[in-house]
Amino acid sequence: MATVGSTVPSTIKSKQLRACLLCSIILLPAEFRKTGCPNCEELMQMKGSPDRIATCTTTYFDGVISVIDPETSWVARWQRTSKYVRGVYAVRVKGRIPEDVESELDSRGIKYRPRDQTEQD
Amino acid sequence: MSDGEDQDMFGQGGSDPAMQEVEEDVEQDGNEEESAAQPASASKGKGREYEEEEEEEEERDPEEEEDDEEDEEDDEEEEEDSGRRKKQKTRHRKKPAASRFLDIEAEVSDDEDEEEDEEYDGADGFIEAVDEGGDDDRRHHALLDKKRQIAEEDKSPEQIARDLSRRYGQQRAVCYTGDMNEIPQRLLMPSVHDASLWQVRVKVCTWRHEREIVYSLMRKAIDVEFTANPLNILAAFQRDSLPGMIYVEVRSSAQVAKACNGLVGVYPSRGIQLVPIEEMASPLQIKKQDITVTPGSWVRTRRGKYQGDLAQVVDVTENGEDVGLRFIPRIDPNPTDDGGVEGSKKRKKTTGPGNMRPPQRLFNYEEIIRAYERKLNETYKDGLIEKDFKLSALILEDVNPTLDEITQFTRKRDETEHDSMIDLLVIAEASRKAAIAVLQPGDHVEVFEGEQAGVHGVVDEINQDVVTITAIGVEIDGQKVELPARSVRKRFKPGDHVKVMTGQNADETGLVVSVTDNVVTFISDMTLQEVSVFSKDLREAAEVGSSTNAVGNYELHDLVQLDVQTVDIIFKTERDSFRVLDQNGQVRLVKPHQISMRRDSNRAIATDAHGHELRINDNMKEMDGEGRKGRILHIHQSFYAFLHNRDIVENGGVFVTRARSLVSVAPKGGLIKPGTDLSKMNPAMIAPTGGMVGSGNMGRGPRDRDIGLTVWVVKGAQKGYVGTIRDTNGTIARVELRTGNKIISIDKKNLHKRIPPDGKLVPLDYHAQGQNDGFKQPFPRNNGGGRTPSNFNNAMARTPNPYNDARTPAWNASSRTPNPYAESGKTPAWNASSRTPNPYADGGRTPAWNANSRTPNPYASGGGSSGTWGGATPGRTPNGGGWGDNSGWGTSPERTSGGWGSDAWTAPTPAAAPTPASAPTPALSAPTPAASHTPAAYRRVNVASAPTPGAGLDMYNEQDDIAREESPFNNGWLFDSEFSNVQQRLRVIVKRTRHDNYLNGDLENHEGRVMGAVRVGDNFEQSALIKFEDGAIPQRTILTKYLDPAPPKNMNDEAVILDGKSKGVVVVVRESPDVKVTVSTKADPSSIFEVPQDELAMLYPEP
């Protein structure tokens, strides 16, 4: 698992940690800038773009999950992150993805679920 | 391994249950997918199934791993450049990781690893199956290519795409599919097949400690993933709202313990609890009651210059992180101007926090331009600043904007135009939530919105957000109505008596005068001012405020000092301030911080109009003016008296007046004797001497004499302890024990002290005879402003008393006969002499003698003005030390002019001299023979020259002197063996008989020859037979203590040396005797030497 390093934040103590609004992975802003979101870079396109990082991620999140085994973990499944890379995820992320991403999701027929736990079913 | 074997495995792979499970998880990608992928997992699956094939496994596993790596490299080539770059970088960085990887190769023989391996391989390892056992690279690649070609040809493009995304999904950005988004969450609830969730207690210490633990679990899991002991954790999480616990998803509790082992701050011993399957989702579902930040709502800032300031939200950024606020700016009206705009800006930053916070002030363009001469890089609108804040820097809960703050916001609006951007309704809305919390059963509420608007009633019960009220009035009277709590508010009507429960005006009570929506205005009981509060903060209350008389450290009727000049008495306490009355009768409103100190006038006394003393708590009446009566609360500088009378309405019954204009309501006992020197106590007379007298001892009562005393505890738990009295309060003393460094409070009765001579233990209130304690009685403590005679607790403190009564206890104690004084005190001679000051004036010495404190009576009667007698005393003080020195006497100016210059000694000032009595002491105690011989010499002269010859005077003088003499010789000198051979020749002189009235003093100064002396027992008085020279009494037995050796008088007299190394030697005086006598022995007249006269005793010539 040589890739693990890039999907886990190098520290958890930083107050700058940001959570992706779409997949809720937590990384440092620098890491987002360097590699983008490991899960949804295709949509978010945050790599090398601090502006995008600012709009697509947030520091306002609550609860930290260390997902070590995404495929088998129920927690990851419940959080709908079992398809994502191993990493640190937020339980709850405040905010919504930018409209362009939302419409892109829409065009792909994917239902957007905000991660702020406002909608539950 | 041969291809055949591969084929074999291929066949088995399809039925591998593990594989199927994985596939299910990742949607039904189809069993047929990646036909080549299956063998890999199959081989693994087989490996797991046939565990006994260990040898084979060992061989194969490393190969697999190697292949795997190779495989990845192959994959990379196919990827986009970016992907490869990323990967290579990672490789580079993670060199240790790679070596770890190699390590594993040797170790991966463990069964436990297989699960991991399997998953790992299953994801992207189909090729390796093909590669299995291929040592020839070229052949291997060719084979691989062919396989892939075949496989891909079979697939649809969609499938290929899916495969690709799936294959590389874990390493790089996937195409976001949101594939699980369609599934409702309830279907995601855990099942029995899922790993269980365990709750672990962790330390609650620092901020988000749990977060760190969860993170370190992750790191740990990754670190040991490929070691012999992997952690097997699936996930771990933490919630900010559940401090002190983390959740770990794992198969068994043993694995939890293993995972937590060695982590700092985790307490597995506190119990690792299994979360029941139905509750597993709960910790993940916890939702903070989110306070939505919407434009218009009120917030407070957490930090910085505007910390705690109320602000209104203007806008919120898309991701909800930044919030645009508007609030009242704090612009420094006097920016420190340190030259240059840039410079000042920098400086400003550095001095930021240390500076005083500028006050909140609406922006004023002209002012700012004047102050800064430039524009500020901030946006202002309508006097308010608009600024962006991070959401985390804001307080969203419990904002509770006060009316004051809101009005500050609205004031500006009123001044400009009425765009109702800020509406009271907003606050009302904000405070409504809080209002629910303050509702209580029994509250009278009204419904102000919804269908039932206008209905009012009494709250019956409150169930969260639903309030049940019993309606009052109209048709539904008496019915119970359920209402949402947010649509009711407390109802008050004018005339209600209310009390404020919370907020700035808490505890204020008053009468409601008007009600506007939810703002109630009432007249405060305390300040009689209108106060407006939200109805939610009010309750109906019968009580009247001002329940406490104390604000801060000060209480009602305390005497407090505001500044140097003003002392005030608190006559009314308000919520956070006092009404005070100063000594000039002015009323002020002060805050506690304006008071510099509290004064204690408990011990202060003053004199009333009749010269009687008055103290605190005396009931007094004004002599003039309004004739108000009252009880004295405080006395200030012995001049102002603060009185209290409940019947007076004004100023709470407190008034101030001059002590001199007061008379006692009831005549008091313990009046000061008329003869007392009032000038000392009368502040009016002291005042002119310069204020220091009065102010100097204000607030400082007399010290308890016992303070500082070393005492022995004789009773109680501390019996036997020794300590020092630190403080006293009535009969209680605070004693600092020598041991244990403890201060205890103990009754003085249980304390004893030691008295000097023999260290006997006596009670504290025991006073040795002769200690002159009698003085304490006639003299009230602290009279005359603190000059307390009782403090002078020694034999010298005789002064004040003699004026009242010459026979002081001290005198009696000293066992010196006072009789002669009493008798001679009023002799004409005395009076005569006092009227004729001449002799004293020119002689310059005698008046001092007579002025001696021990002869006051003659003056009292003769001088005629007893009240001012004390005035004469100070003259003596400066001279006290030189008492026995004659020359000093004569030249003392105080003596001649100040002390005796007729009018000078009636002046009130001398009263300041506190210790006149100390003067006589030196002579008293002086044992020097020098003193003894001189007075006698001139005493006679004095008597002779006195125009009013009086035996009494003469006698008095002499006796007085003698009385003070001590025999310089030891009592039994006469019997000294050195003198035995000359004993019968000794010439002696009778001394000191008058003082003791021995033989009526008739023989005083008579000289005679020792006829015989026999030493008797020590218990008896020694005596000797003396033959006197003058014939009055030819022979008499005299007590030897009255006999002194007579010094030689003439040349050629024989004498014996009384002391020194030549003691007992008989010598002949060779020159006229002086203080030093030149002598030589009879045998050797040439060797002359000097001997002090008083060391010689004259001898009668040998018979």
Side-chain angles (χ1 to χ4, degrees), chain A residues 1-6 8-15 17-18 21-23 34-35 37-43 47 54-88 91-92 94-99 105 108-113 115-121, chain B residues 21-22 25-27 82 86-87 90-91 93-94 100-101 116 119-120 166 169-186 188-191 194-195 197 207-208 211-212 214-215 217-219 221-222 225-226 233-241 249 251 280-281 283-288 290-293 318-321 391-392 396:
Chain A
M1 271 294 172
T3 56
V4 159
S6 62
V8 175
S10 57
T11 173
I12 198 74
K13 288 188 181 176
S14 169
K15 286 185 180 176
L17 282 174
R18 299 184 78 89
L21 287 170
L22 190 55
C23 67
K34 203 182 265 172
T35 61
C37 176
N39 300 314
C40 39
E41 180 62 17
E42 180 214 21
L43 279 163
K47 193 195 286 185
T55 50
C56 298
T57 66
T58 178
T59 58
Y60 204 84
F61 58 88
D62 166 33
V64 166
I65 313 173
S66 288
V67 182
I68 297 154
D69 187 348
E71 299 275 337
T72 14
S73 166
W74 165 80
V75 174
R77 198 161 74 242
W78 175 267
Q79 291 294 118
R80 302 174 207 270
T81 58
S82 51
K83 295 288 175 50
Y84 300 152
V85 297
R86 162 191 286 199
V88 179
V91 176
R92 190 171 142 264
K94 195 177 160 55
R96 286 179 81 93
I97 52 171
E99 275 174 28
L105 279 178
R108 294 188 193 188
I110 300 169
K111 186 187 174 192
Y112 171 60
R113 284 182 181 270
R115 294 213 170 254
D116 55 7
Q117 293 180 339
T118 45
E119 301 163 33
Q120 284 202 327
D121 45 14
Chain B
E21 198 178 320
V22 172
D25 272 342
V26 291
E27 270 184 26
S82 65
K86 175 182 96 186
K87 203 137 191 198
T90 322
R91 279 263 163 100
R93 239 188 10 240
K94 297 280 174 185
R100 185 189 71 217
F101 197 67
E116 302 269 327
E119 283 154 19
Y120 182 69
R166 177 168 152 53
Q170 284 199 332
Q171 280 117 18
R172 59 166 310 274
V174 285
C175 166
Y176 186 86
T177 53
D179 32 26
M180 286 166 76
N181 283 6
E182 299 300 333
I183 310 165
Q185 197 137 28
R186 65 190 137 80
L188 293 172
M189 284 303 273
S191 71
D194 290 311
L197 202 58
W207 184 74
R208 288 173 179 173
R211 204 180 256 198
E212 283 164 35
V214 166
Y215 179 70
L217 271 176
M218 172 113 189
R219 290 235 88 117
I222 295 168
E225 191 174 14
F226 300 108
I233 305 176
L234 304 183
F237 69 92
Q238 150 275 340
R239 292 306 302 264
D240 289 350
S241 39
E249 188 190 10
R251 294 265 174 209
M280 275 167 73
L284 287 167
Q285 280 175 315
I286 294 175
K287 228 197 297 181
K288 232 201 257 171
D290 219 18
I291 304 107
T292 46
V293 182
E318 211 170 347
N319 58 10
E321 255 186 275
L391 192 62
S392 54
L396 309 172

Side-chain angles (χ1 to χ4, degrees), chain B residues 153 306 420 430 551 554 865 1010:
Chain B
E153 269 170 12
Y306 299 101
S420 55
V551 176
Y554 306 102
S865 59
V1010 177

